[in-house]
């Protein structure tokens, strides 16, 4: 079969890495896999399998290359000034047309059997493309339990009369409620987890990195942005040091708009020498493997790749309660490693977990990682969507 995986960009992020893994998984299962992306800004990652065909369709550049396209962009911006958040809906009318024309060219010699469109940032640009072979993969969730007029318009554009798939049951439950209150009629709403190459992570985790300190450390990993809530992690770390006399360093791997704020917080708590900002790391796995524990304090999270990677690297794990798919992964002994979104509870649970051997969680990791086996995941996609459509 010929499979298309479509994603907005190939910058370093969870959505983008999942798109690359998905393309690799289909190719290794014997299918022809094309990875289609739009923006070339911050192109940091690619599929591991060189035979995956990587295709760029730069929708924004193509739109700006014609007088009609430039005029449409002005109309989109004016619309956004009148009604906030409408820019992607209006501009998407035009970029959808561009995409459909370019996509038809790709299909001149051979049609795709399955088209997987990953993430809202991607839906926005091609929302009018509602081919019956396509499935929209939703990951992001929020704490919102209400919908504005604009939310309803956007959802009607992006999700009405399409097939939707989520990477976790937690994400699916969020979209069930969202679509119910917004009166959105999807063709189907299902769940298939992302494929994951466990051995690849294990191999990369063994790479030598002289920047990793020899002293024990607690790890926070991800973009330094408000949603990831690293401020709460720093507050919890301060509590851990003062109340439980834990001597570990705290290392934050990642970069983002919140960095200055987080650095100032460390100064105000006099943690300058104890909290290390390691910045963006192209291979974060040795940092995970060598940590004593990795802590997730996100305000919301679909199903974090980093959580799965931490299981591959066999480090200890703590998560906080948040909407999405993280909670369903905390099974067996891991069910005790869930904290309230409060610094005292996080500190208490970190201290308790550090008193257990890493091996205590190994059997749970093994069971959970089997759910992400690439060949199993690919078969689910084919059975659920491609075979059905071939029989229509």
């Amino acid at each position: 079969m010929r499979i298309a995986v479509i994603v907005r960009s190939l910058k370093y992020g969870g959505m983008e890495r999942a798109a690359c893994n998905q393309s690799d998984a289909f190719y290794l299962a014997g299918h022809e896999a094309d990875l289609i992306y739009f923006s070339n800004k911050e192109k940091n990652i690619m599929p591991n399998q060189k035979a995956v065909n990587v295709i760029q369709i730069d929708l924004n550049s193509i739109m700006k290359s014609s007088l009609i396209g430039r005029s449409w962009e002005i109309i989109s911006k004016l619309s956004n000034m009148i009604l906030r958040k409408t820019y992607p809906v209006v501009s998407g009318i035009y970029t959808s047309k561009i995409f459909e024309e370019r996509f038809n060219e790709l299909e001149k010699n051979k049609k795709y059997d399955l088209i997987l469109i990953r993430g809202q940032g991607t839906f926005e640009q091609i929302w009018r493309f509602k081919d019956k072979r396509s499935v929209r993969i939703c990951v992001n969730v929020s704490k919102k339990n209400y919908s504005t007029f604009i939310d309803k318009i956007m959802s009607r554009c992006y999700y009405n009369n399409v097939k939707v798939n989520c990477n976790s049951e937690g994400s699916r439950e969020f979209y069930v409620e969202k679509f119910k209150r917004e009166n959105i009629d999807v063709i189907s709403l299902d769940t298939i987890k992302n494929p994951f190459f466990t051995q690849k992570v294990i191999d990369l985790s063994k790479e030598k990195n002289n920047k990793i300190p020899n002293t024990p450390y607690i790890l926070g990993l991800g973009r330094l942005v408000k949603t990831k809530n690293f401020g709460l992690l720093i507050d919890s770390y301060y509590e851990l040091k003062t109340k439980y006399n834990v001597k570990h360093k705290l290392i934050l791997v990642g970069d983002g708009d919140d960095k200055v704020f987080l650095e100032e917080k460390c100064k105000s708590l006099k943690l300058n020498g104890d909290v290390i900002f390691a910045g963006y790391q192209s291979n974060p796995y040795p940092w995970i493997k060598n940590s004593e524990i990795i802590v997730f304090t996100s305000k919301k999270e679909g199903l974090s790749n980093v959580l799965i990677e931490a299981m591959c690297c066999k480090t200890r794990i703590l998560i906080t309660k948040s909407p999405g798919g993280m909670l369903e992964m905390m099974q067996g002994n891991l069910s005790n490693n869930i904290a309230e979104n409060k610094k005292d509870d996080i500190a208490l649970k970190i201290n308790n977990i550090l008193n257990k051997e890493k091996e205590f969680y190994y059997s749970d990791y093994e069971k959970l990682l089997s759910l992400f086996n690439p060949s199993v995941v690919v078969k689910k996609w084919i059975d659920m969507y491609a075979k059905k459509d071939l029989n229509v």
Side-chain angles (χ1 to χ4, degrees), residues 147-160:
S147 298
T148 65
F149 172 69
I150 297 299
D151 290 334
K152 292 176 182 178
I153 290 175
M154 291 169 69
S155 287
R156 186 153 292 278
C157 292
Y158 302 156
Y159 303 113
N160 209 54

Side-chain angles (χ1 to χ4, degrees), residues 77-118:
K77 288 179 177 178
L78 288 172
S79 168
N80 203 62
M81 290 171 66
I82 299 166
L83 280 174
R84 192 171 163 269
K85 293 185 179 180
T86 56
Y87 175 84
V89 173
V90 180
S91 65
I93 296 171
Y94 195 85
T95 49
S96 294
K97 179 175 175 290
I98 296 169
F99 174 79
E100 201 151 353
E101 289 170 355
R102 299 301 169 102
F103 192 77
N104 288 339
E105 289 176 18
L106 293 175
E107 289 200 297
K108 272 185 179 177
N109 297 321
K110 186 178 180 183
K111 296 285 185 182
Y112 288 103
D113 298 292
L114 182 61
I115 304 160
L116 304 180
I117 308 171
R118 298 198 62 98

Side-chain angles (χ1 to χ4, degrees), residues 281-378:
Q281 300 291 323
S282 59
N283 179 10
Y285 308 126
W287 295 85
I288 300 173
K289 183 178 187 297
N290 289 286
S291 70
E292 293 302 314
I293 184 172
I294 184 168
V295 182
F296 298 85
T297 51
S298 296
K299 294 178 180 177
K300 59 185 179 69
E301 194 79 56
L303 179 53
S304 169
N305 283 333
V306 181
L307 177 67
I308 306 164
E309 289 159 355
M311 292 181 181
C312 295
C313 295
K314 295 185 174 179
T315 193
R316 302 176 186 90
I317 295 167
L318 172 76
I319 73 165
T320 53
K321 291 181 180 177
S322 63
M326 298 278 277
L327 292 172
E328 69 195 62
M329 291 297 292
M330 305 301 281
Q331 299 176 20
N333 292 316
L334 291 167
S335 62
N336 296 313
N337 295 17
I338 304 167
E340 300 292 337
N341 288 279
K342 298 175 181 177
K343 63 181 182 180
D344 55 343
D345 195 45
I346 295 169
L348 170 65
K349 292 239 169 49
I350 291 175
N351 189 58
N352 291 343
I353 295 166
L354 287 174
N355 287 324
K356 289 183 171 61
E357 296 296 328
K358 288 185 177 182
E359 290 81 0
F360 182 69
Y361 302 103
Y362 285 4
S363 62
D364 294 315
Y365 294 165
E366 189 176 339
K367 288 175 190 173
L368 290 162
L369 289 171
S370 67
L371 302 174
F372 301 88
N373 184 290
S375 61
V376 173
V377 173
V378 165

Side-chain angles (χ1 to χ4, degrees), residues 200-342:
K200 177 184 170 185
V201 173
I202 293 169
D203 292 343
L204 287 169
S205 73
K206 296 173 184 175
E207 187 178 281
K208 188 170 178 57
N209 187 327
N210 293 325
K211 293 180 180 177
I212 297 175
N214 293 321
T215 54
Y217 62 88
I218 295 161
L219 181 66
L221 193 153
R223 290 176 298 120
L224 304 185
V225 293
K226 291 280 188 292
T227 307
K228 297 298 181 183
N229 211 11
F230 284 113
L232 176 59
L233 177 55
I234 291 170
D235 286 335
S236 305
Y237 174 67
Y238 179 79
E239 184 91 355
L240 193 66
K241 283 182 67 65
T242 54
K243 192 170 181 178
Y244 299 98
N245 199 31
V246 170
K247 302 297 183 185
H248 296 49
K249 300 286 187 185
L250 172 63
I251 296 182
L252 300 182
V253 171
D255 209 346
D257 297 338
D258 236 20
K259 184 180 179 182
V260 174
F261 163 75
L262 296 172
E263 287 175 332
E264 289 301 317
K265 176 180 270 291
C266 291
K267 285 179 186 175
S268 69
L269 294 172
K270 299 189 169 126
L271 292 172
N272 307 53
D274 296 309
V275 180
I276 299 167
F277 289 83
Y280 164 78
Q281 300 291 323
S282 59
N283 179 10
Y285 308 126
W287 295 85
I288 300 173
K289 183 178 187 297
N290 289 286
S291 70
E292 293 302 314
I293 184 172
I294 184 168
V295 182
F296 298 85
T297 51
S298 296
K299 294 178 180 177
K300 59 185 179 69
E301 194 79 56
L303 179 53
S304 169
N305 283 333
V306 181
L307 177 67
I308 306 164
E309 289 159 355
M311 292 181 181
C312 295
C313 295
K314 295 185 174 179
T315 193
R316 302 176 186 90
I317 295 167
L318 172 76
I319 73 165
T320 53
K321 291 181 180 177
S322 63
M326 298 278 277
L327 292 172
E328 69 195 62
M329 291 297 292
M330 305 301 281
Q331 299 176 20
N333 292 316
L334 291 167
S335 62
N336 296 313
N337 295 17
I338 304 167
E340 300 292 337
N341 288 279
K342 298 175 181 177

